[in-house]
């Protein structure tokens, strides 16, 4: 059984107070800090980039889970590694050749994951599964926080978990988008163990209570 991990997405935080926000979430018991990088090309939104990850790295020893929603991860993934990302997750639908991006991240000694958008089938990641620390199954269309959880992604989560089990792999399966107290259980039962949440955590007044309640909801499922 994989360890359950709660990964608050800073996309929903107060960026003017980024250091304090991340420190507060880390102290609140978050396992990873999820950093959404958007280039205005792969997705129709722009969020943050390399200098922000560099500053975060100086400010916290939390594990930085960097989710690259960008068209050219082959160029930029190694740069995010250099800036201090711990895990770099790129999209299978990007313009880069997945094996080349995996090799580039590995060459930097960092953990590596592939993410798939809602319309992308599970088997797209299967050729790379043995080399991945994590598979990120998007449960909304990437680009924006605060969207509605797509329950029809659950069979895809199950398919990835089944294939990992079949190969004896303990790969983390991360879900991202619309995860909250109501939806998290469905993803747990489907086989997910890393839970990204933006609005459901940074949107709450008491971060420790929010992390604790979300973790409890996952563990109950
Ligand atoms: C969406 C991002 C998510 C987003 C999740 O493209 O990848 O990480 O911040 O936000 P919520 O939890 O509000 O759906
Ligand atoms: Zn994300």
């Amino acid at each position: 059984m994989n360890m359950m991990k709660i990964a608050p997405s800073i996309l929903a935080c107060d960026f003017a107070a980024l250091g304090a926000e991340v420190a507060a979430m880390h102290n609140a018991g978050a396992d990873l800090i999820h950093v959404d990088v958007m280039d205005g090309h792969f997705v129709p939104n722009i969020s943050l980039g390399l200098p922000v990850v560099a500053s975060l790295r100086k400010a916290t020893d939390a594990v930085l889970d960097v989710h690259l929603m960008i068209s050219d991860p082959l160029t930029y993934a190694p740069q995010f590694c250099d800036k201090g990302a711990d895990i770099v997750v790129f999209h299978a639908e990007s313009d880069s050749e997945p094996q080349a991006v995996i090799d580039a991240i590995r060459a930097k000694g960092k953990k590596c994951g592939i993410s798939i958008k809602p319309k992308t089938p599970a088997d797209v990641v299967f050729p790379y599964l043995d080399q991945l620390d994590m598979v990120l199954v998007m449960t909304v269309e990437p680009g924006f926080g605060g969207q509605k959880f797509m329950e029809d992604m659950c069979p895809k989560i199950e398919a990835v978990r089944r294939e990992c089990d079949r190969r004896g792999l303990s790969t983390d399966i991360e879900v991202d988008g619309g995860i909250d107290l109501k939806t998290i259980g469905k993803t747990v039962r489907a086989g997910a163990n890393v839970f990204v949440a933006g609005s459901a955590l940074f949107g709450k007044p008491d971060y420790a209570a929010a992390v604790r309640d979300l973790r409890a909801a996952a563990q109950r499922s």
Side-chain angles (χ1 to χ4, degrees):
M1 206 28 198
N2 291 57
M3 216 181 98
M4 297 217 189
K5 294 175 200 161
I6 304 291
S9 162
I10 60 169
L11 197 60
C13 85
D14 173 7
F15 279 116
L18 183 58
E21 288 276 68
V22 168
M25 217 31 115
H26 190 37
N27 290 336
D31 301 285
L32 311 172
I33 297 295
H34 185 82
V35 181
D36 286 306
V37 177
M38 304 180 183
D39 66 354
H41 187 256
F42 183 76
V43 288
N45 197 7
I46 298 175
S47 55
L48 55 89
L50 293 158
V52 176
V53 172
S55 294
L56 274 176
R57 183 69 295 155
K58 287 189 201 119
T60 181
D61 58 4
V63 177
L64 298 178
D65 170 33
V66 176
H67 177 194
L68 298 180
M69 287 164 275
I70 66 175
S71 296
D72 182 6
L74 184 55
T75 298
Y76 295 104
Q79 299 184 35
F80 280 98
C81 293
D82 289 340
K83 298 297 183 194
D86 296 293
I87 308 171
V88 177
V89 181
F90 66 97
H91 269 269
E93 308 86 354
S94 78
D95 295 339
S96 304
E97 207 280 300
Q99 187 60 57
V101 184
I102 293 171
D103 293 345
I105 296 168
R106 287 275 175 245
K108 296 289 183 183
K110 302 301 176 99
K111 291 190 173 174
C112 176
I114 296 186
S115 179
I116 44 178
K117 299 203 284 183
K119 291 191 190 75
T120 304
D123 58 10
V124 166
V125 301
F126 291 173
Y128 312 102
L129 208 50
D130 305 74
Q131 306 173 66
L132 301 176
D133 299 288
M134 189 150 81
V135 174
L136 168 49
V137 178
M138 291 302 301
T139 45
V140 298
E141 283 296 340
F144 300 91
Q147 301 183 76
K148 191 175 177 296
F149 173 74
M150 296 169 73
E151 191 166 349
D152 52 341
M153 293 301 110
C154 287
K156 185 153 75 178
I157 300 165
E158 285 167 16
V160 177
R161 180 56 74 200
R162 211 179 306 122
E163 185 62 16
C164 290
D165 288 348
R166 195 181 70 77
R167 299 192 198 182
L169 299 170
S170 57
T171 314
D172 282 328
I173 301 182
E174 183 173 50
V175 284
D176 184 4
I179 301 299
D180 61 19
L181 291 172
K182 283 201 202 77
T183 58
I184 195 166
K186 297 177 207 280
T187 70
V188 172
R189 288 189 289 277
N193 70 295
V194 182
F195 311 97
V196 176
S199 12
L201 293 174
F202 278 107
K204 295 282 154 57
D206 182 342
Y207 292 172
V211 171
R212 190 197 325 116
D213 292 350
L214 197 59
R215 195 188 301 281
Q219 282 165 347
R220 264 198 308 276
S221 304

